Amino acid sequence: MAVMKVIEILANSEKNWEDATRKAIKQASKSIKGIKSAFVQSQSVVVNDDEITEFRVNLKVTFEVN
């Protein structure tokens, strides 16, 4: 039986939400092994002078606990 754990991760990108999500998983995988999935819980943007300057994601990351 596999035991899974879920953590919440926040990440950002100047490009788009997909880039923010990829950055989050890449960074998390440096210290967390066995990542199985990620659920994008929410997305938001930062707006400055009527322009989107940052894309943000809030992820729920699931990984296997040994």
Side-chain angles (χ1 to χ4, degrees):
M1 178 177 92
V3 177
M4 306 301 260
K5 183 170 183 171
V6 178
I7 61 169
E8 193 167 336
I9 297 177
L10 306 174
N12 65 318
S13 169
E14 293 178 356
K15 295 180 184 178
N16 54 48
W17 287 300
E18 183 178 344
D19 187 54
T21 302
R22 289 181 187 280
K23 284 181 176 182
I25 297 301
K26 185 175 182 178
Q27 187 66 29
S29 68
K30 292 178 181 179
S31 59
I32 300 169
K33 301 304 175 207
I35 294 175
K36 299 297 181 191
S37 66
F39 170 72
V40 178
Q41 184 173 340
S42 65
Q43 300 172 316
S44 62
V45 296
V46 175
V47 177
N48 289 315
D49 297 325
D50 299 328
E51 294 290 328
I52 295 174
T53 58
E54 186 176 295
F55 295 84
R56 294 179 175 174
V57 292
N58 182 342
L59 303 172
K60 296 275 187 171
V61 177
T62 303
F63 59 98
E64 192 170 347
V65 178
N66 294 326

